[in-house]
Every structure is written in C-alpha cells, then in structure tokens.
Amino acid sequence: MYLEIVSPEATLFSSEVDSLVVPGVNGEFEMLNNHAPIVSLLKSGTIKIKTHNQSHLEFDDLHARLVPLKEDKKILTVKIDSGTIEMKDNKVIVLAD
C-alpha cells in the first residue's frame, strides 16, 4: 500500500509500505494491504511504519523525524500530536500536526 504523511508545512513521508500502526482516539490500530476504507481521528502518539526494505527510501531534512526502531530496522517511527487518517484503494493519507 502507498502511504503519505502530510503536515501543514510539507509532505513528511511518501512511499510504499507493508503496514502501519497509528494511535487512534480509541487505541492503536494496524492497517495492512487491502484494508477496508476508513477515516479516523488520531491522538498524540507514534506512527509505526513497516517496510520490507529501506533502501528505496530517500530522506531529507524534513524526514529527520523518521527514526528506525533499534530492535527492528525495518520499522520507522514518527511522532505526532494529533491528526486524521484516511485509507481508500490501498492509499493511506495521514494529515498530522
């Protein structure tokens, strides 16, 4: 599935991913390929992005907030204060604050 994380300043992340875990207002939930369409509010927390290969990812100054987990270098994390998530047709858009 394709993931975009967008802030008011810029696009922070844009790439194919295997899955992601987001901090929903009623608890964390995971989204995989072919997930049902969804729109949800997000609360303060960490988005965990699982990739099968990081070599295709390009980072710049805006992406510096993306940090690989120490125990698994295929999982990237980004902290958010709040936001909204939408998934439709295997494309996920996160509007993050």
Side-chain angles (χ1 to χ4, degrees), residues 4-89:
E4 281 188 20
I5 301 177
V6 181
S7 75
E9 294 82 28
T11 299
L12 300 176
F13 182 86
S14 182
S15 181
E16 287 286 330
V17 300
D18 292 337
S19 67
L20 77 147
V21 177
V22 295
V25 292
N26 293 322
E28 278 191 347
F29 62 94
E30 182 173 18
M31 302 176 81
L32 301 169
N33 204 25
N34 295 317
H35 192 283
I38 186 172
V39 175
S40 180
L41 294 175
L42 302 177
K43 66 179 184 177
S44 178
T46 302
I47 297 174
K48 297 173 191 160
I49 306 162
K50 183 163 186 178
T51 64
H52 60 270
N53 183 0
Q54 284 188 30
S55 64
H56 69 285
L57 301 176
E58 294 181 17
F59 298 97
D60 58 25
D61 291 338
L62 289 174
H63 294 90
R65 289 194 254 164
L66 290 166
V67 182
L69 286 179
K70 290 179 183 175
E71 62 272 7
D72 189 346
K73 297 206 184 293
K74 294 180 182 178
I75 297 179
L76 301 172
T77 62
V78 61
K79 295 195 182 291
I80 63 168
D81 291 328
S82 65
T84 305
I85 187 168
E86 176 186 16
M87 178 164 186
K88 183 179 176 186
D89 299 327

